[in-house]
Amino acid sequence: MAETATIARPYAEALFRVASEAGAGNLGAWSELVSEMGQVAANPDMKALADDPNVSSQKVVEVFLSVLKNPVNDEALRFVNLLAENNRLTVLPEIAEQFHALKNAREGSSDVEITSAFPLEGSQLNELVAALERKFGRKLHAKVAVDPSLIGGVSVKVGDEVLDTSVRARLAALQATLTA
């Protein structure tokens, strides 16, 4: 079977074109809706329902839409119907990811995953994000996670770049140096 990213790409690009034609102000609303649809489609129960050959695509769409919190416009409804008819509803998480990447590229921004040994809040987080924005030269949307196994410091991932200043990473580097 073809790779999920390959299957999702034309759907994500088409949906992004539709969202872009709706206006720049609506791109944020579309992004929220697509993210939510991706989360719902990733649910194991929804996957099982979508993959069940005994359930009609119309029933799958009906259940899928009933779970969404955000209102669905006509374009989104047609999109969900198209995915269900082509047995591609389970690809929605990857479509959402690619849609979000297209949106970031249009806005000149990126997502940043910050993993810290301790919770980061308020001014501490704002200062870190501001420093990272200066380093990477673009607007960053931060997602913060806490991992006590880092011992101290932070690990930052922007796209395919990783900056790991955690104590755990420094200890691992020290161990590698000592055992070499």
Side-chain angles (χ1 to χ4, degrees):
M1 185 172 155
E3 189 174 333
T4 306
T6 305
I7 295 169
R9 186 172 298 108
Y11 289 107
E13 290 172 351
L15 189 60
F16 187 75
R17 266 193 312 276
V18 168
S20 296
E21 290 169 4
N26 289 335
L27 202 53
W30 269 99
S31 183
E32 274 186 47
L33 177 61
V34 172
S35 293
E36 182 186 2
M37 290 190 317
Q39 290 171 353
V40 170
N43 181 293
D45 293 334
M46 185 56 70
K47 278 184 173 181
L49 182 69
D51 289 337
D52 189 342
N54 297 321
V55 179
S56 71
S57 64
Q58 201 54 32
K59 184 64 176 172
V60 171
V61 169
E62 184 181 310
V63 171
F64 182 82
L65 294 175
S66 71
V67 178
L68 295 176
K69 293 176 188 161
N70 286 318
V72 178
N73 58 30
D74 290 340
E75 291 91 354
L77 179 60
R78 284 195 296 273
F79 184 71
V80 171
N81 277 315
L82 175 73
L83 291 175
E85 289 169 7
N86 292 313
N87 296 319
R88 298 288 194 225
L89 201 62
T90 56
V91 181
L92 244 170
E94 179 65 27
I95 294 171
E97 197 172 302
Q98 290 188 24
F99 181 93
H100 195 63
L102 290 168
K103 178 180 174 280
N104 282 346
R106 161 86 51 89
E107 296 172 345
S109 62
S110 295
D111 291 329
V112 58
E113 296 175 21
I114 302 171
T115 306
S116 172
F118 303 100
L120 292 174
E121 297 170 352
S123 64
Q124 195 177 31
L125 177 60
N126 292 339
E127 288 174 17
L128 177 59
V129 171
L132 291 170
E133 285 177 344
R134 284 190 301 276
K135 176 174 178 35
F136 290 101
R138 60 185 175 259
K139 177 84 174 120
L140 297 174
H141 306 285
K143 184 174 115 182
V144 181
V146 176
D147 181 2
S149 72
L150 294 180
I151 304 170
V154 295
S155 175
V156 175
K157 182 179 178 200
V158 178
D160 59 354
E161 293 183 66
V162 177
L163 301 172
D164 195 346
T165 62
S166 67
V167 174
R168 181 178 68 190
R170 291 181 183 179
L171 288 173
L174 182 61
Q175 180 185 17
T177 303
L178 291 174
T179 57

